[in-house]
């Protein structure tokens, strides 16, 4: 049969169509993964779920365990090691202590006052402030009045310091001063009141003087490092030149002045405060100037104070060092000399800082820091000054 080119092509196409059709009916094609026809849940039975096989260690989460009877759930199972009970508070802590440094007569008038005005408040103290910085409390006898008012008392020596002298006490780090001495009212009551006001404004505490007798004799209470300390300040009755006696400056019911100290007075006032505080410190101004040791009146006064329960007695006025008396828990320092003073020469310029550590049980430790006063200003002793000064501090 004669087949033309067009007919031939038609015959080939028909043949290919038949072959493809036969192949499609011989074996069904697999279901495509992206088939749009989902399987019914009734057609597939899912096997039990296997636990995850991850090798990580996730943080355990709290679980609630049901009771066997189906009651309320038990408490969550612990998910970590239980915390240990808190350790009991230690009971063997050391008792609280206070490190106190005491110095003698601080006279900020005359050339000392002029240098404070010219060189600044720290001028007298530059060489000794590093010692004071180690103390919790620093105490001194303020051997002058601080004011620009008043009339000089008719006596041989009168000391009135400039107003900036109050700032000098702050610069030194002085915490407590005794006002009970034979120079506190050198320029009368107005200047004395100025002194107290200036100290109050600068938060410098004081004892032994006040606006009336009650204030002058009242104990100064200081709380430091967990300890309560009472300071009592006194000037003993004694005379000076010309006709002058410290009793003339005694505080009265309606008159500013000082606490006059006798054995009976100090014994009664120490006993009255002793059970209310941890420590009682007595500061007293008395004795014989330039003497080698305490006189009978100093010893009697000290014995009365300590017998009533005082822990520490700090004496001044003789302008020189006297010895000290130490028991297991108490110390009597009969005179700790000058400290800032421009008038004296020789051994009157040998002095020391009394350095004690106090606890509720009494004096824990005692030390002396030798000091030499140079041109009125205290400086650390050097060389052979050290043994010479310490030799002036015998223990009675």
């Amino acid at each position: 049969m004669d087949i033309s080119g067009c007919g031939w092509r038609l015959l080939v196409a028909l043949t290919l169509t038949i072959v493809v059709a036969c192949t499609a009916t011989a074996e069904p094609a697999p279901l495509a993964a992206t088939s749009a026809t989902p399987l019914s849940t009734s057609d597939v039975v899912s096997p039990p779920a296997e636990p995850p096989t991850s090798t990580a260690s996730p943080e355990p989460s709290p679980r609630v365990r049901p009771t066997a009877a189906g009651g309320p759930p038990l408490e969550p199972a612990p998910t970590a090691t239980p915390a240990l009970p808190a350790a009991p508070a230690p009971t063997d802590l050391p008792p609280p202590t206070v490190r106190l440094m005491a110095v003698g007569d601080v006279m900020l008038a005359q050339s000392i006052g002029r240098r404070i005005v010219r060189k600044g408040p720290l001028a007298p103290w530059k060489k000794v402030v590093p010692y004071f910085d180690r103390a919790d409390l620093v105490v001194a006898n303020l051997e002058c009045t601080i004011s620009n008012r008043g009339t000089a008392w008719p006596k041989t020596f009168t000391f009135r310091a400039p107003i900036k002298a109050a700032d000098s006490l702050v610069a030194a780090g002085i915490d407590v001063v005794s006002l009970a001495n034979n120079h506190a009212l050198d320029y009368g009551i107005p200047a004395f009141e100025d002194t107290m006001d200036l100290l109050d404004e600068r938060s410098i505490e004081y004892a032994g003087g006040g606006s009336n007798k009650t204030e002058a004799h009242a104990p100064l209470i200081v709380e430091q490092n967990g300890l309560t300390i009472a300071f009592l300040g006194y000037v003993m009755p004694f005379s000076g030149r010309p006709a002058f006696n410290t009793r003339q400056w005694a505080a009265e019911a309606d008159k500013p002045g000082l606490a006059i100290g006798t054995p009976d007075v100090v014994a009664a006032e120490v006993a009255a405060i002793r059970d209310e505080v941890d420590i009682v410190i007595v500061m007293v101004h008395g004795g014989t100037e330039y003497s080698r040791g305490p006189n009978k009146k100093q010893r009697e006064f000290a014995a009365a104070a300590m017998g009533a329960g005082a822990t520490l007695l700090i004496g001044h006025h003789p302008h020189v060092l006297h010895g000290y008396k130490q028991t297991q828990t108490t110390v009597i320092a009969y005179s700790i000399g000058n400290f800032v003073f421009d008038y004296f020469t020789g051994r009157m310029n040998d002095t020391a800082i009394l350095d004690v550590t106090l606890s509720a049980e009494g004096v824990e430790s005692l030390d002396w820091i030798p000091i030499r006063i140079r041109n009125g200003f205290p400086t650390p002793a050097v060389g052979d000054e050290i043994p010479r000064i310490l030799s002036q501090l015998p223990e009675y």
Side-chain angles (χ1 to χ4, degrees), residues 201-223:
E201 290 169 6
R202 287 155 179 79
S203 299
I204 298 174
E205 306 284 1
Y206 53 88
S211 298
N212 52 55
K213 185 174 182 178
T214 299
E215 289 185 8
H217 285 262
L220 165 67
I221 307 298
V222 174
E223 293 185 359

Side-chain angles (χ1 to χ4, degrees), residues 15-93:
T15 303
L16 291 172
T17 300
I18 294 170
V19 172
V20 170
C22 291
T23 304
T25 58
E27 184 178 349
L31 185 65
T34 57
S35 171
T37 305
L39 294 175
S40 170
T41 55
S42 62
D43 296 333
V44 179
V45 178
S46 300
E50 294 292 330
T53 58
S54 170
T55 58
S57 300
E59 288 293 325
S61 58
R63 295 181 293 114
V64 178
R65 293 177 293 152
T67 63
L74 300 174
E75 292 296 323
T79 60
T81 303
L84 295 175
T91 58
D92 57 349
L93 293 176

Side-chain angles (χ1 to χ4, degrees), residues 152-159 181-187 240-246 248-249:
W153 198 274
K155 56 200 285 279
T156 305
F157 298 104
T158 55
F159 302 134
N181 57 64
N182 59 318
H183 290 285
L185 275 86
D186 273 355
Y187 282 76
R241 296 186 303 270
F244 165 73
N245 189 284
T246 56
Q248 294 173 267
W249 291 351

